[in-house]
Amino acid sequence: MLKPLKVAGEIYWLGANDRKKHLFENIWPLPNGVAYNCFLINDEKTALVDTIESGVAGDFVEKVESLLAGRPLDYLIINHMELDHTGEVKEILKRYPNVQIIGNSKTFKIVEAYWGNVNNFKHVEDNEELPLGHHKLKFLMTPWVHWPETMMTYDVTEQVLFSGDAFGSFGTLDGGVFDDEIDFTYYEEDMRRYFSNIVGKYANMVQKAFKKLEGVPVKSVCPVHGPVWRSNPEVVLGLYDKWSKMEAENGVVIIYASMYGNTEQVADYIARKIAERGVKKIRIHDVSKTHISNLINDIWKYKGVILGSCAYNSQMFPLMEQLTRELEHMGVKDRELGIFGSYSWNGGGVKNIKKFQENVSWNLVSEPVEIYGIPDGKKLAQCDALALEMAEKLK
Ligand code: FEO
């Protein structure tokens, strides 16, 4: 039912909302859904820039047909091969068998792996141009944002950037599609969570993409998820620049693993001591309750991180181990870290969080606090010191 919307010149948004899917990539929760965007350029030559996930909009091909009004589709540009953007490629190929698919050498390999031999594949190189009539496109290779084959397509005429996953967000487009039609405060958390969960591992590649875009005038940013930025693209560009540089707010997230509540009580104690030092941005999460997607989001948001784990089979608590492994995998940098934990038989929680700290080289604000049973006065004094040092780092 959603109608195509004009972005600029002869560029039309063809998007769809997905409120059914629970988990993006079958792992990341979608409490607010997700939108898939793609764009049709209806010029002397016609071009579809990406498609959407299969089956989300039952009438996708019909919408393309309706916009083209009987004209052929000349080009299908694949900026990114992940199936949330290539889900309708097979249907497009059925309806338009003569369409020329545009991608790079890496795109082509994956196309073959998915769909076998495809005719009419046109390899493009970095900075190669394609005139469509009024519009002229330029292809920018931006690998690993977020897979190795990813590229962006830039409309030189209208200064529109089709950016793929970069500058995208979780969250459906509930009426408003363009940035000037929405209340962005609703999207910011979902955008950071999308960035940190999906793109964050490739933060350095996002910075390389920014280098490539230096001096390129951008009036509109058209990502494949979330709002389309036609009025204030500097907002989304600025946030992605900040997050990909790992810049964070002066706040702290405390994440604990606790079986019977001792470690949890220490988390509350430390949080209170930090609050008494004037820090207002403090969040506490139980690793067993809060999804890792939200934990990673808060770790990307705040400069201070305090991890606390009970011992479990002489190791960290399994879900804390999962979190730290994922953080190592993602390469999150430049955080201030506090460590605490408790044990009653063998230790293992604190020792292994310390190993994690050494692996990621985060700054340890004070000596880890390891508590046998219930904290005594000496251990609480160590917690006080941890809280004080963390609060100092956040000034
Ligand atoms: Fe939205 Fe990497 O796909």
Side-chain angles (χ1 to χ4, degrees):
M1 275 299 284
L2 284 173
K3 300 282 185 218
L5 298 171
K6 193 169 199 165
V7 178
E10 291 303 322
I11 302 169
Y12 293 86
W13 168 84
L14 277 176
N17 286 314
D18 188 346
R19 297 187 181 87
K20 287 200 177 82
K21 191 192 283 273
H22 288 273
L23 296 171
F24 189 78
E25 297 178 337
N26 218 11
I27 177 169
W28 310 109
L30 291 171
N32 302 315
V34 66
Y36 310 104
N37 302 324
C38 70
F39 301 88
L40 185 81
I41 307 172
N42 199 6
D43 206 340
E44 288 167 31
K45 290 284 184 183
T46 60
L48 182 60
V49 186
D50 297 308
T51 72
I52 60 172
E53 175 143 341
S54 173
V56 174
D59 57 352
F60 179 74
V61 175
E62 285 82 350
K63 276 193 218 168
V64 173
E65 284 177 331
S66 165
L67 260 176
L68 292 178
R71 300 175 63 214
L73 179 64
D74 296 302
Y75 303 110
L76 168 60
I77 298 165
I78 299 181
N79 280 331
H80 181 23
M81 273 302 298
E82 192 161 1
L83 289 160
D84 50 338
H85 311 297
T86 52
E88 294 285 353
V89 167
K90 274 178 86 172
E91 293 305 311
I92 289 291
L93 293 180
K94 268 192 226 163
R95 174 63 187 84
Y96 298 101
N98 296 321
V99 68
Q100 192 159 39
I101 300 179
I102 293 186
N104 56 63
S105 54
K106 291 190 179 111
T107 323
F108 187 39
K109 275 179 78 173
I110 309 173
V111 165
E112 275 194 321
Y114 283 172
W115 301 305
N117 269 333
V118 173
N119 294 327
N120 281 334
F121 193 90
K122 178 178 167 61
H123 291 246
V124 289
E125 304 289 337
D126 198 21
N127 291 316
E128 190 170 331
E129 293 186 345
L130 179 73
L132 299 178
H134 169 71
H135 294 267
K136 183 167 74 176
L137 303 180
K138 188 183 221 183
F139 303 103
L140 306 171
M141 299 303 133
T142 52
W144 291 108
V145 191
H146 111 268
W147 276 4
E149 86 297 351
T150 43
M151 63 183 201
M152 295 185 189
T153 300
Y154 177 63
D155 186 317
V156 179
T157 316
E158 297 289 343
Q159 302 180 344
V160 173
L161 182 67
F162 303 100
S163 61
D165 280 336
F167 316 125
S169 174
F170 287 141
T172 49
L173 297 169
D174 297 348
V177 168
F178 299 103
D179 61 317
D180 49 78
E181 298 178 323
I182 60 166
D183 173 8
F184 181 62
T185 53
Y186 171 78
Y187 285 95
E188 187 163 350
E189 280 295 310
D190 256 345
M191 179 176 275
R192 191 191 320 94
R193 195 167 62 84
Y194 170 83
F195 172 85
S196 61
N197 292 183
I198 309 299
V199 185
K201 177 175 169 53
Y202 310 105
N204 63 328
M205 302 310 282
V206 175
Q207 279 298 310
K208 282 191 181 170
F210 271 116
K211 282 262 175 296
K212 185 155 273 187
L213 292 171
E214 265 176 14
V216 176
V218 175
K219 276 190 193 160
S220 303
V221 174
C222 296
V224 285
H225 301 289
V228 175
W229 297 81
R230 68 178 176 188
S231 291
N232 295 296
E234 64 278 5
V235 172
V236 69
L237 295 172
L239 286 171
Y240 264 69
D241 187 35
K242 174 179 145 182
W243 295 332
S244 57
K245 286 176 179 161
M246 313 256 173
E247 291 174 2
E249 297 176 23
N250 281 333
V252 59
V253 56
I254 302 173
I255 301 167
Y256 69 84
S258 186
M259 283 186 287
Y260 296 103
N262 286 340
T263 311
E264 179 182 14
Q265 287 189 28
V266 178
D268 276 317
Y269 180 86
I270 292 171
R272 178 62 206 157
K273 290 294 169 185
I274 295 173
E276 286 173 2
R277 297 278 169 186
V279 177
K280 293 186 177 171
K281 292 179 178 175
I282 306 171
R283 297 258 58 89
I284 303 181
H285 296 294
D286 181 342
V287 76
S288 297
K289 184 184 169 198
T290 304
H291 195 281
I292 191 170
S293 168
N294 300 89
L295 302 176
I296 291 168
N297 183 29
D298 268 358
I299 288 170
W300 225 283
K301 183 175 185 179
Y302 295 124
K303 189 168 146 191
V305 179
I306 299 178
L307 300 178
S309 180
C310 57
Y312 194 92
N313 292 338
S314 304
Q315 302 290 327
M316 282 184 249
F317 191 72
L319 293 173
M320 184 63 75
E321 195 169 306
Q322 183 198 10
L323 173 65
T324 54
R325 192 176 56 238
E326 192 62 25
L327 292 171
E328 271 190 58
H329 178 64
M330 288 181 156
V332 186
K333 292 187 178 68
D334 302 331
R335 292 294 179 270
E336 301 292 339
L337 180 67
I339 300 173
F340 70 98
S342 66
Y343 69 101
S344 303
W345 289 268
N346 284 325
V350 166
K351 181 176 75 181
N352 284 294
I353 298 177
K354 180 72 175 57
K355 278 189 195 163
F356 158 75
Q357 180 266 328
E358 289 160 9
N359 291 344
V360 294
S361 302
W362 291 1
N363 182 51
L364 196 58
V365 298
S366 70
E367 277 305 301
V369 184
E370 186 162 41
I371 298 154
Y372 178 54
I374 307 292
D376 57 13
K378 191 176 158 201
K379 290 295 173 185
L380 289 179
Q382 288 178 8
C383 291
D384 292 350
L386 190 163
L388 171 65
E389 294 298 329
M390 181 58 81
E392 286 297 313
K393 294 289 184 193
L394 303 180
K395 277 184 178 163

